[in-house]
Amino acid sequence: MLGSYRAELLKLRKRSAVWVLFGAGLVLSLIFGYLLPYLGYATGDENPQTDGIPRAEVLRGMLPERVVDNTIGGYPIFAGALALVLGAIVIGGEYTWGTLKTVLTQRPRRLTILGAQFLALGTMIALWVLGIFAACALCSIGIAAAEDGPANWPGAGDLAQGLAGGWLVLMTWCLAGAVLAVAFRNVALPIGLGVVWILGIETLLAGVVSSLLPSLDWLSDALPGTNAGSLVFSVTGMAAADAPPGVRDAVGGGRALLTLIGYCAVFAVLAAWTTRRRDVT
């Protein structure tokens, strides 16, 4: 297992798509977390990030005390979609390129390879979270210094809780992409279905249930996106009025945590069962 894990890490490190996806997530986090709010604060002009928010609150939202909010606030939707693409590319690429058969001739068993791929993906997702956090922390420090604002950081426990919650949200979507890739033995179709689900279907379904079918709230509250947004809401403590898209107080933090862990377990078991039982060609 250790050798396969190291090999998967090497493949991820050398695969340009991994870093392109990370760069996209990083840039989007900085644009929506700091650039647009700071432009609105500095110029006095309102934009979608600062519309209706007092100027002092706009500045407070960019200071170190809110760094966790800005790091993981976009994870339920846009960063989650990027993580899903990562899982689909890493797992589905082995089928598309025909390299899985070659790997299986080198002694490791199917489940050993799949387990090593999941561990490598979990490691890469952790690096994504830490990298985005580091960039957001630097921006917070720079803005606090430029605007003479307080540099109060979250406590160590709050920081660890927020980053761990963000990792779980991204890992859930990454495993969703992986299980779709195993099911379809492809890359394009899992990415298409997954991204449409995250960006369109789940949001539309939640809106319809909320406005037209309130008796089906239980269905909306069981969806992965709803629980991802609820977990981010609970670990950041942000106000509902200024929460980013996808982040809302639909279910409690404990329930959201257990639901996402359950989704991760189901996705991993389904991928393992399919990989073990089905022809890999």
Side-chain angles (χ1 to χ4, degrees), residues 27-96:
V27 169
L28 289 173
S29 294
L30 297 182
I31 288 177
F32 291 105
Y34 293 98
L35 180 60
L36 292 180
Y38 189 72
L39 289 176
Y41 174 80
T43 63
D45 297 333
E46 291 188 345
N47 58 49
Q49 298 299 111
T50 61
D51 187 18
I53 302 175
R55 198 162 178 263
E57 285 300 312
V58 174
L59 175 61
R60 182 169 174 264
M62 297 180 288
L63 295 178
E65 65 180 286
R66 300 288 297 276
V67 66
V68 175
D69 301 21
N70 292 322
T71 299
I72 68 173
Y75 283 11
I77 293 187
F78 72 80
L82 295 174
L84 184 144
V85 172
L86 174 68
I89 287 177
V90 170
I91 304 298
E94 302 287 359
Y95 292 95
T96 303

Short mmCIF file of all heavy atoms in Angstrom, two decimals, residues 27-96:
data_model
loop_
_atom_site.label_atom_id
_atom_site.label_comp_id
_atom_site.label_asym_id
_atom_site.label_seq_id
_atom_site.Cartn_x
_atom_site.Cartn_y
_atom_site.Cartn_z
N VAL A 27 -7.48 31.35 -7.05
CA VAL A 27 -7.80 32.66 -7.64
C VAL A 27 -9.23 33.07 -7.32
O VAL A 27 -9.50 34.22 -6.95
CB VAL A 27 -7.56 32.62 -9.16
CG1 VAL A 27 -8.12 33.87 -9.83
CG2 VAL A 27 -6.07 32.49 -9.46
N LEU A 28 -10.17 32.13 -7.45
CA LEU A 28 -11.57 32.46 -7.15
C LEU A 28 -11.75 32.85 -5.68
O LEU A 28 -12.50 33.78 -5.36
CB LEU A 28 -12.46 31.27 -7.49
CG LEU A 28 -12.64 30.98 -8.99
CD1 LEU A 28 -13.39 29.67 -9.20
CD2 LEU A 28 -13.38 32.13 -9.66
N SER A 29 -11.05 32.14 -4.78
CA SER A 29 -11.15 32.48 -3.35
C SER A 29 -10.65 33.88 -3.07
O SER A 29 -11.26 34.65 -2.30
CB SER A 29 -10.35 31.47 -2.52
OG SER A 29 -10.92 30.19 -2.59
N LEU A 30 -9.53 34.25 -3.70
CA LEU A 30 -8.97 35.59 -3.47
C LEU A 30 -9.81 36.68 -4.11
O LEU A 30 -9.96 37.77 -3.54
CB LEU A 30 -7.53 35.63 -4.00
CG LEU A 30 -6.54 34.68 -3.31
CD1 LEU A 30 -5.15 34.86 -3.88
CD2 LEU A 30 -6.52 34.92 -1.81
N ILE A 31 -10.37 36.40 -5.28
CA ILE A 31 -11.19 37.42 -5.95
C ILE A 31 -12.45 37.73 -5.14
O ILE A 31 -12.75 38.88 -4.84
CB ILE A 31 -11.57 36.95 -7.37
CG1 ILE A 31 -10.35 37.01 -8.29
CG2 ILE A 31 -12.69 37.82 -7.95
CD1 ILE A 31 -10.61 36.49 -9.69
N PHE A 32 -13.18 36.65 -4.78
CA PHE A 32 -14.45 36.87 -4.08
C PHE A 32 -14.27 37.13 -2.58
O PHE A 32 -15.15 37.72 -1.94
CB PHE A 32 -15.38 35.67 -4.30
CG PHE A 32 -15.88 35.56 -5.71
CD1 PHE A 32 -15.37 34.60 -6.57
CD2 PHE A 32 -16.84 36.44 -6.19
CE1 PHE A 32 -15.82 34.50 -7.88
CE2 PHE A 32 -17.29 36.36 -7.50
CZ PHE A 32 -16.78 35.38 -8.35
N GLY A 33 -13.16 36.68 -2.02
CA GLY A 33 -12.94 36.89 -0.60
C GLY A 33 -12.27 38.21 -0.27
O GLY A 33 -12.52 38.79 0.81
N TYR A 34 -11.42 38.71 -1.20
CA TYR A 34 -10.64 39.90 -0.87
C TYR A 34 -10.66 40.98 -1.95
O TYR A 34 -10.85 42.15 -1.63
CB TYR A 34 -9.18 39.48 -0.58
CG TYR A 34 -9.07 38.66 0.66
CD1 TYR A 34 -9.01 37.27 0.59
CD2 TYR A 34 -9.06 39.26 1.92
CE1 TYR A 34 -8.94 36.50 1.74
CE2 TYR A 34 -8.99 38.50 3.07
CZ TYR A 34 -8.93 37.12 2.97
OH TYR A 34 -8.88 36.38 4.12
N LEU A 35 -10.45 40.61 -3.22
CA LEU A 35 -10.30 41.65 -4.24
C LEU A 35 -11.58 42.48 -4.41
O LEU A 35 -11.53 43.72 -4.31
CB LEU A 35 -9.91 41.00 -5.58
CG LEU A 35 -9.73 41.99 -6.75
CD1 LEU A 35 -8.63 42.99 -6.42
CD2 LEU A 35 -9.41 41.24 -8.04
N LEU A 36 -12.71 41.82 -4.67
CA LEU A 36 -13.95 42.57 -4.87
C LEU A 36 -14.39 43.33 -3.61
O LEU A 36 -14.75 44.52 -3.70
CB LEU A 36 -15.06 41.62 -5.34
CG LEU A 36 -14.88 41.03 -6.75
CD1 LEU A 36 -16.03 40.11 -7.10
CD2 LEU A 36 -14.76 42.15 -7.78
N PRO A 37 -14.35 42.70 -2.42
CA PRO A 37 -14.70 43.48 -1.22
C PRO A 37 -13.76 44.67 -0.99
O PRO A 37 -14.22 45.75 -0.59
CB PRO A 37 -14.59 42.45 -0.08
CG PRO A 37 -14.81 41.14 -0.75
CD PRO A 37 -14.18 41.27 -2.09
N TYR A 38 -12.46 44.48 -1.24
CA TYR A 38 -11.53 45.58 -0.99
C TYR A 38 -11.73 46.72 -1.98
O TYR A 38 -11.63 47.90 -1.62
CB TYR A 38 -10.08 45.09 -1.05
CG TYR A 38 -9.11 46.15 -0.58
CD1 TYR A 38 -9.02 46.47 0.78
CD2 TYR A 38 -8.32 46.84 -1.48
CE1 TYR A 38 -8.14 47.45 1.22
CE2 TYR A 38 -7.45 47.83 -1.05
CZ TYR A 38 -7.36 48.12 0.31
OH TYR A 38 -6.52 49.12 0.74
N LEU A 39 -12.02 46.38 -3.24
CA LEU A 39 -12.31 47.43 -4.22
C LEU A 39 -13.55 48.21 -3.80
O LEU A 39 -13.59 49.45 -3.91
CB LEU A 39 -12.51 46.81 -5.61
CG LEU A 39 -11.25 46.27 -6.30
CD1 LEU A 39 -11.62 45.61 -7.61
CD2 LEU A 39 -10.25 47.39 -6.52
N GLY A 40 -14.57 47.49 -3.32
CA GLY A 40 -15.78 48.17 -2.86
C GLY A 40 -15.49 49.05 -1.64
O GLY A 40 -16.01 50.16 -1.53
N TYR A 41 -14.65 48.55 -0.72
CA TYR A 41 -14.31 49.32 0.47
C TYR A 41 -13.48 50.55 0.12
O TYR A 41 -13.73 51.66 0.61
CB TYR A 41 -13.53 48.43 1.44
CG TYR A 41 -13.00 49.15 2.64
CD1 TYR A 41 -13.82 49.45 3.72
CD2 TYR A 41 -11.66 49.57 2.68
CE1 TYR A 41 -13.34 50.13 4.82
CE2 TYR A 41 -11.16 50.25 3.78
CZ TYR A 41 -12.00 50.53 4.84
OH TYR A 41 -11.51 51.21 5.94
N ALA A 42 -12.49 50.37 -0.75
CA ALA A 42 -11.57 51.47 -1.07
C ALA A 42 -12.24 52.56 -1.91
O ALA A 42 -11.96 53.74 -1.73
CB ALA A 42 -10.34 50.91 -1.80
N THR A 43 -13.10 52.17 -2.85
CA THR A 43 -13.70 53.16 -3.75
C THR A 43 -15.05 53.66 -3.27
O THR A 43 -15.53 54.69 -3.73
CB THR A 43 -13.88 52.54 -5.15
OG1 THR A 43 -14.79 51.43 -5.06
CG2 THR A 43 -12.55 52.05 -5.70
N GLY A 44 -15.68 52.91 -2.36
CA GLY A 44 -17.02 53.29 -1.91
C GLY A 44 -18.12 52.81 -2.83
O GLY A 44 -19.30 53.02 -2.55
N ASP A 45 -17.73 52.19 -3.96
CA ASP A 45 -18.73 51.66 -4.89
C ASP A 45 -19.22 50.31 -4.40
O ASP A 45 -18.46 49.51 -3.86
CB ASP A 45 -18.13 51.49 -6.30
CG ASP A 45 -17.70 52.81 -6.89
OD1 ASP A 45 -18.29 53.85 -6.51
OD2 ASP A 45 -16.76 52.81 -7.72
N GLU A 46 -20.51 50.05 -4.62
CA GLU A 46 -21.06 48.76 -4.22
C GLU A 46 -20.93 47.76 -5.34
O GLU A 46 -21.04 48.10 -6.52
CB GLU A 46 -22.54 48.91 -3.83
CG GLU A 46 -22.75 49.70 -2.54
CD GLU A 46 -24.20 49.66 -2.09
OE1 GLU A 46 -25.06 49.27 -2.91
OE2 GLU A 46 -24.45 50.01 -0.93
N ASN A 47 -20.65 46.51 -4.99
CA ASN A 47 -20.63 45.41 -5.95
C ASN A 47 -21.34 44.24 -5.28
O ASN A 47 -21.75 44.33 -4.12
CB ASN A 47 -19.19 45.07 -6.36
CG ASN A 47 -18.32 44.71 -5.16
OD1 ASN A 47 -18.71 43.89 -4.34
ND2 ASN A 47 -17.15 45.33 -5.06
N PRO A 48 -21.53 43.13 -6.00
CA PRO A 48 -22.28 42.01 -5.41
C PRO A 48 -21.72 41.53 -4.08
O PRO A 48 -22.44 40.95 -3.27
CB PRO A 48 -22.19 40.92 -6.49
CG PRO A 48 -22.06 41.68 -7.76
CD PRO A 48 -21.23 42.88 -7.43
N GLN A 49 -20.43 41.78 -3.82
CA GLN A 49 -19.82 41.34 -2.56
C GLN A 49 -20.09 42.30 -1.41
O GLN A 49 -19.96 41.92 -0.25
CB GLN A 49 -18.30 41.18 -2.75
CG GLN A 49 -17.92 40.14 -3.78
CD GLN A 49 -18.40 38.77 -3.42
OE1 GLN A 49 -19.28 38.22 -4.08
NE2 GLN A 49 -17.88 38.19 -2.36
N THR A 50 -20.40 43.57 -1.72
CA THR A 50 -20.53 44.56 -0.64
C THR A 50 -21.89 45.24 -0.63
O THR A 50 -22.11 46.14 0.17
CB THR A 50 -19.45 45.64 -0.80
OG1 THR A 50 -19.63 46.31 -2.07
CG2 THR A 50 -18.06 45.03 -0.76
N ASP A 51 -22.79 44.83 -1.52
CA ASP A 51 -24.09 45.49 -1.66
C ASP A 51 -24.86 45.45 -0.33
O ASP A 51 -25.16 44.38 0.20
CB ASP A 51 -24.90 44.81 -2.76
CG ASP A 51 -26.18 45.57 -3.07
OD1 ASP A 51 -26.27 46.75 -2.69
OD2 ASP A 51 -27.09 44.98 -3.68
N GLY A 52 -25.19 46.64 0.20
CA GLY A 52 -26.00 46.72 1.42
C GLY A 52 -25.26 46.47 2.71
O GLY A 52 -25.88 46.43 3.78
N ILE A 53 -23.95 46.26 2.67
CA ILE A 53 -23.16 45.97 3.88
C ILE A 53 -22.44 47.24 4.32
O ILE A 53 -21.80 47.89 3.49
CB ILE A 53 -22.15 44.84 3.61
CG1 ILE A 53 -22.88 43.58 3.12
CG2 ILE A 53 -21.35 44.53 4.86
CD1 ILE A 53 -21.94 42.45 2.73
N PRO A 54 -22.54 47.62 5.60
CA PRO A 54 -21.82 48.81 6.07
C PRO A 54 -20.32 48.71 5.79
O PRO A 54 -19.73 47.62 5.81
CB PRO A 54 -22.10 48.82 7.57
CG PRO A 54 -23.37 48.04 7.72
CD PRO A 54 -23.34 47.00 6.64
N ARG A 55 -19.69 49.86 5.53
CA ARG A 55 -18.27 49.88 5.13
C ARG A 55 -17.37 49.23 6.20
O ARG A 55 -16.43 48.51 5.88
CB ARG A 55 -17.86 51.33 4.88
CG ARG A 55 -16.60 51.50 4.07
CD ARG A 55 -16.49 52.89 3.50
NE ARG A 55 -15.25 53.06 2.74
CZ ARG A 55 -14.16 53.61 3.25
NH1 ARG A 55 -14.17 54.06 4.47
NH2 ARG A 55 -13.06 53.72 2.51
N ALA A 56 -17.69 49.49 7.47
CA ALA A 56 -16.87 48.91 8.54
C ALA A 56 -16.97 47.38 8.54
O ALA A 56 -15.99 46.67 8.82
CB ALA A 56 -17.31 49.47 9.89
N GLU A 57 -18.16 46.86 8.23
CA GLU A 57 -18.32 45.41 8.19
C GLU A 57 -17.60 44.80 6.99
O GLU A 57 -17.13 43.67 7.04
CB GLU A 57 -19.80 45.05 8.14
CG GLU A 57 -20.52 45.25 9.46
CD GLU A 57 -19.92 44.37 10.56
OE1 GLU A 57 -19.72 43.17 10.31
OE2 GLU A 57 -19.62 44.90 11.64
N VAL A 58 -17.55 45.55 5.88
CA VAL A 58 -16.79 45.07 4.72
C VAL A 58 -15.33 44.89 5.08
O VAL A 58 -14.70 43.87 4.78
CB VAL A 58 -16.95 46.04 3.53
CG1 VAL A 58 -16.05 45.60 2.37
CG2 VAL A 58 -18.40 46.10 3.07
N LEU A 59 -14.76 45.91 5.77
CA LEU A 59 -13.36 45.80 6.20
C LEU A 59 -13.18 44.65 7.19
O LEU A 59 -12.23 43.87 7.09
CB LEU A 59 -12.91 47.12 6.83
CG LEU A 59 -11.50 47.11 7.43
CD1 LEU A 59 -10.46 46.82 6.34
CD2 LEU A 59 -11.20 48.44 8.12
N ARG A 60 -14.10 44.53 8.14
CA ARG A 60 -13.98 43.46 9.15
C ARG A 60 -13.99 42.09 8.50
O ARG A 60 -13.31 41.17 8.95
CB ARG A 60 -15.14 43.59 10.13
CG ARG A 60 -15.12 42.56 11.26
CD ARG A 60 -16.14 42.90 12.33
NE ARG A 60 -16.21 41.84 13.31
CZ ARG A 60 -17.12 40.86 13.28
NH1 ARG A 60 -18.03 40.83 12.32
NH2 ARG A 60 -17.11 39.91 14.21
N GLY A 61 -14.74 41.95 7.42
CA GLY A 61 -14.80 40.66 6.74
C GLY A 61 -13.52 40.26 6.05
O GLY A 61 -13.38 39.11 5.63
N MET A 62 -12.58 41.20 5.89
CA MET A 62 -11.31 40.88 5.24
C MET A 62 -10.15 40.79 6.21
O MET A 62 -9.01 40.52 5.81
CB MET A 62 -10.99 41.97 4.19
CG MET A 62 -12.00 42.05 3.06
SD MET A 62 -11.58 43.32 1.86
CE MET A 62 -11.95 44.82 2.78
N LEU A 63 -10.39 41.01 7.50
CA LEU A 63 -9.31 40.99 8.50
C LEU A 63 -9.03 39.56 8.95
O LEU A 63 -9.81 38.64 8.69
CB LEU A 63 -9.74 41.86 9.69
CG LEU A 63 -9.90 43.35 9.37
CD1 LEU A 63 -10.38 44.12 10.59
CD2 LEU A 63 -8.61 43.95 8.82
N PRO A 64 -7.90 39.33 9.62
CA PRO A 64 -7.52 37.97 10.03
C PRO A 64 -8.58 37.22 10.83
O PRO A 64 -8.65 36.00 10.75
CB PRO A 64 -6.25 38.21 10.85
CG PRO A 64 -5.65 39.43 10.25
CD PRO A 64 -6.81 40.31 9.90
N GLU A 65 -9.41 37.91 11.60
CA GLU A 65 -10.41 37.20 12.41
C GLU A 65 -11.43 36.46 11.54
O GLU A 65 -12.08 35.54 12.00
CB GLU A 65 -11.16 38.19 13.31
CG GLU A 65 -11.99 39.21 12.57
CD GLU A 65 -12.70 40.17 13.50
OE1 GLU A 65 -13.68 39.74 14.13
OE2 GLU A 65 -12.27 41.34 13.61
N ARG A 66 -11.56 36.83 10.24
CA ARG A 66 -12.51 36.17 9.34
C ARG A 66 -11.80 35.33 8.29
O ARG A 66 -12.39 35.00 7.26
CB ARG A 66 -13.38 37.23 8.66
CG ARG A 66 -14.21 38.10 9.62
CD ARG A 66 -15.37 37.34 10.24
NE ARG A 66 -16.29 36.90 9.21
CZ ARG A 66 -17.26 37.69 8.71
NH1 ARG A 66 -17.41 38.92 9.18
NH2 ARG A 66 -18.07 37.23 7.79
N VAL A 67 -10.56 34.97 8.54
CA VAL A 67 -9.79 34.27 7.50
C VAL A 67 -10.39 32.89 7.19
O VAL A 67 -10.36 32.42 6.04
CB VAL A 67 -8.31 34.15 7.91
CG1 VAL A 67 -8.14 33.26 9.13
CG2 VAL A 67 -7.46 33.65 6.76
N VAL A 68 -10.93 32.22 8.20
CA VAL A 68 -11.52 30.90 7.95
C VAL A 68 -12.76 31.03 7.05
O VAL A 68 -12.97 30.22 6.14
CB VAL A 68 -11.89 30.21 9.28
CG1 VAL A 68 -12.62 28.90 9.02
CG2 VAL A 68 -10.63 29.94 10.09
N ASP A 69 -13.56 32.08 7.28
CA ASP A 69 -14.74 32.30 6.44
C ASP A 69 -14.35 32.43 4.98
O ASP A 69 -14.97 31.85 4.08
CB ASP A 69 -15.48 33.57 6.87
CG ASP A 69 -15.92 33.51 8.33
OD1 ASP A 69 -15.34 32.72 9.08
OD2 ASP A 69 -16.83 34.26 8.70
N ASN A 70 -13.31 33.25 4.73
CA ASN A 70 -12.90 33.49 3.35
C ASN A 70 -12.19 32.28 2.73
O ASN A 70 -12.18 32.11 1.52
CB ASN A 70 -11.98 34.72 3.29
CG ASN A 70 -12.72 35.99 3.62
OD1 ASN A 70 -13.88 36.17 3.23
ND2 ASN A 70 -12.08 36.88 4.35
N THR A 71 -11.59 31.44 3.58
CA THR A 71 -10.88 30.26 3.06
C THR A 71 -11.86 29.20 2.58
O THR A 71 -11.70 28.65 1.49
CB THR A 71 -9.97 29.66 4.15
OG1 THR A 71 -9.00 30.64 4.53
CG2 THR A 71 -9.27 28.42 3.63
N ILE A 72 -12.89 28.91 3.37
CA ILE A 72 -13.76 27.78 3.05
C ILE A 72 -15.17 28.20 2.63
O ILE A 72 -16.00 27.34 2.37
CB ILE A 72 -13.85 26.79 4.23
CG1 ILE A 72 -14.61 27.42 5.41
CG2 ILE A 72 -12.48 26.34 4.67
CD1 ILE A 72 -14.86 26.43 6.54
N GLY A 73 -15.43 29.51 2.55
CA GLY A 73 -16.79 29.96 2.20
C GLY A 73 -17.25 29.51 0.82
O GLY A 73 -18.44 29.32 0.58
N GLY A 74 -16.31 29.32 -0.11
CA GLY A 74 -16.70 28.91 -1.46
C GLY A 74 -16.61 27.41 -1.69
O GLY A 74 -16.84 26.95 -2.81
N TYR A 75 -16.27 26.66 -0.65
CA TYR A 75 -16.08 25.21 -0.85
C TYR A 75 -17.36 24.45 -1.24
O TYR A 75 -17.28 23.51 -2.03
CB TYR A 75 -15.49 24.58 0.40
CG TYR A 75 -14.01 24.84 0.58
CD1 TYR A 75 -13.34 25.77 -0.22
CD2 TYR A 75 -13.28 24.17 1.53
CE1 TYR A 75 -11.99 26.01 -0.04
CE2 TYR A 75 -11.92 24.41 1.70
CZ TYR A 75 -11.29 25.33 0.92
OH TYR A 75 -9.95 25.56 1.09
N PRO A 76 -18.54 24.80 -0.69
CA PRO A 76 -19.72 23.97 -1.02
C PRO A 76 -20.07 23.97 -2.50
O PRO A 76 -20.64 22.99 -2.99
CB PRO A 76 -20.84 24.61 -0.19
CG PRO A 76 -20.14 25.24 0.96
CD PRO A 76 -18.86 25.76 0.38
N ILE A 77 -19.74 25.04 -3.26
CA ILE A 77 -20.16 25.07 -4.66
C ILE A 77 -18.96 25.07 -5.61
O ILE A 77 -18.61 24.05 -6.18
CB ILE A 77 -21.08 26.28 -4.91
CG1 ILE A 77 -22.41 26.09 -4.16
CG2 ILE A 77 -21.38 26.43 -6.40
CD1 ILE A 77 -23.45 27.12 -4.45
N PHE A 78 -18.28 26.22 -5.76
CA PHE A 78 -17.30 26.27 -6.86
C PHE A 78 -16.04 25.46 -6.57
O PHE A 78 -15.54 24.75 -7.44
CB PHE A 78 -16.96 27.73 -7.24
CG PHE A 78 -16.14 28.49 -6.25
CD1 PHE A 78 -14.77 28.32 -6.19
CD2 PHE A 78 -16.72 29.43 -5.42
CE1 PHE A 78 -14.00 29.04 -5.30
CE2 PHE A 78 -15.97 30.17 -4.53
CZ PHE A 78 -14.59 29.96 -4.47
N ALA A 79 -15.52 25.51 -5.35
CA ALA A 79 -14.36 24.67 -5.03
C ALA A 79 -14.76 23.20 -4.98
O ALA A 79 -13.97 22.32 -5.32
CB ALA A 79 -13.74 25.10 -3.70
N GLY A 80 -16.01 22.94 -4.56
CA GLY A 80 -16.49 21.56 -4.57
C GLY A 80 -16.55 21.00 -5.98
O GLY A 80 -16.21 19.84 -6.21
N ALA A 81 -16.97 21.85 -6.94
CA ALA A 81 -16.99 21.40 -8.34
C ALA A 81 -15.58 21.09 -8.83
O ALA A 81 -15.37 20.11 -9.56
CB ALA A 81 -17.64 22.47 -9.21
N LEU A 82 -14.60 21.90 -8.43
CA LEU A 82 -13.21 21.64 -8.83
C LEU A 82 -12.70 20.35 -8.21
O LEU A 82 -11.97 19.58 -8.85
CB LEU A 82 -12.33 22.82 -8.42
CG LEU A 82 -12.63 24.16 -9.10
CD1 LEU A 82 -11.80 25.27 -8.49
CD2 LEU A 82 -12.37 24.07 -10.60
N ALA A 83 -13.08 20.08 -6.94
CA ALA A 83 -12.66 18.83 -6.30
C ALA A 83 -13.29 17.63 -6.98
O ALA A 83 -12.66 16.57 -7.12
CB ALA A 83 -13.04 18.87 -4.82
N LEU A 84 -14.54 17.78 -7.41
CA LEU A 84 -15.20 16.68 -8.14
C LEU A 84 -14.47 16.39 -9.45
O LEU A 84 -14.26 15.22 -9.83
CB LEU A 84 -16.66 17.03 -8.39
CG LEU A 84 -17.52 15.95 -9.05
CD1 LEU A 84 -18.94 15.98 -8.49
CD2 LEU A 84 -17.59 16.11 -10.58
N VAL A 85 -14.06 17.45 -10.14
CA VAL A 85 -13.31 17.27 -11.38
C VAL A 85 -11.99 16.55 -11.10
O VAL A 85 -11.56 15.67 -11.85
CB VAL A 85 -13.06 18.63 -12.06
CG1 VAL A 85 -12.12 18.49 -13.24
CG2 VAL A 85 -14.37 19.25 -12.51
N LEU A 86 -11.33 16.91 -9.98
CA LEU A 86 -10.07 16.24 -9.61
C LEU A 86 -10.28 14.75 -9.43
O LEU A 86 -9.51 13.93 -9.95
CB LEU A 86 -9.52 16.87 -8.33
CG LEU A 86 -8.28 16.18 -7.74
CD1 LEU A 86 -7.08 16.38 -8.65
CD2 LEU A 86 -7.97 16.72 -6.34
N GLY A 87 -11.32 14.38 -8.66
CA GLY A 87 -11.56 12.95 -8.44
C GLY A 87 -11.87 12.21 -9.73
O GLY A 87 -11.39 11.08 -9.94
N ALA A 88 -12.63 12.84 -10.62
CA ALA A 88 -12.97 12.19 -11.89
C ALA A 88 -11.75 12.04 -12.79
O ALA A 88 -11.58 11.00 -13.44
CB ALA A 88 -14.06 13.00 -12.59
N ILE A 89 -10.90 13.06 -12.81
CA ILE A 89 -9.70 12.99 -13.66
C ILE A 89 -8.74 11.91 -13.17
O ILE A 89 -8.22 11.11 -13.97
CB ILE A 89 -9.01 14.37 -13.69
CG1 ILE A 89 -9.81 15.35 -14.53
CG2 ILE A 89 -7.59 14.24 -14.24
CD1 ILE A 89 -9.23 16.74 -14.57
N VAL A 90 -8.49 11.89 -11.86
CA VAL A 90 -7.50 10.95 -11.33
C VAL A 90 -7.95 9.50 -11.50
O VAL A 90 -7.18 8.64 -11.94
CB VAL A 90 -7.23 11.27 -9.84
CG1 VAL A 90 -6.39 10.16 -9.20
CG2 VAL A 90 -6.53 12.61 -9.71
N ILE A 91 -9.21 9.22 -11.17
CA ILE A 91 -9.69 7.83 -11.26
C ILE A 91 -10.08 7.48 -12.69
O ILE A 91 -9.70 6.42 -13.22
CB ILE A 91 -10.89 7.62 -10.32
CG1 ILE A 91 -10.52 8.01 -8.88
CG2 ILE A 91 -11.35 6.17 -10.40
CD1 ILE A 91 -9.42 7.18 -8.28
N GLY A 92 -10.82 8.35 -13.36
CA GLY A 92 -11.28 8.04 -14.71
C GLY A 92 -10.17 8.04 -15.74
O GLY A 92 -10.26 7.34 -16.76
N GLY A 93 -9.12 8.82 -15.49
CA GLY A 93 -8.02 8.87 -16.44
C GLY A 93 -7.34 7.52 -16.63
O GLY A 93 -6.84 7.20 -17.71
N GLU A 94 -7.32 6.70 -15.56
CA GLU A 94 -6.69 5.38 -15.66
C GLU A 94 -7.45 4.49 -16.65
O GLU A 94 -6.85 3.65 -17.32
CB GLU A 94 -6.67 4.71 -14.28
CG GLU A 94 -5.94 5.49 -13.20
CD GLU A 94 -4.43 5.48 -13.39
OE1 GLU A 94 -3.95 4.84 -14.34
OE2 GLU A 94 -3.74 6.14 -12.58
N TYR A 95 -8.77 4.67 -16.74
CA TYR A 95 -9.56 3.90 -17.70
C TYR A 95 -9.41 4.48 -19.10
O TYR A 95 -9.25 3.75 -20.09
CB TYR A 95 -11.04 3.93 -17.30
CG TYR A 95 -11.35 3.19 -16.03
CD1 TYR A 95 -11.41 3.84 -14.81
CD2 TYR A 95 -11.59 1.81 -16.04
CE1 TYR A 95 -11.70 3.16 -13.64
CE2 TYR A 95 -11.89 1.12 -14.88
CZ TYR A 95 -11.94 1.81 -13.68
OH TYR A 95 -12.23 1.12 -12.52
N THR A 96 -9.47 5.82 -19.21
CA THR A 96 -9.40 6.46 -20.53
C THR A 96 -8.07 6.18 -21.22
O THR A 96 -8.02 5.92 -22.43
CB THR A 96 -9.60 7.97 -20.38
OG1 THR A 96 -10.84 8.23 -19.72
CG2 THR A 96 -9.61 8.65 -21.73
#
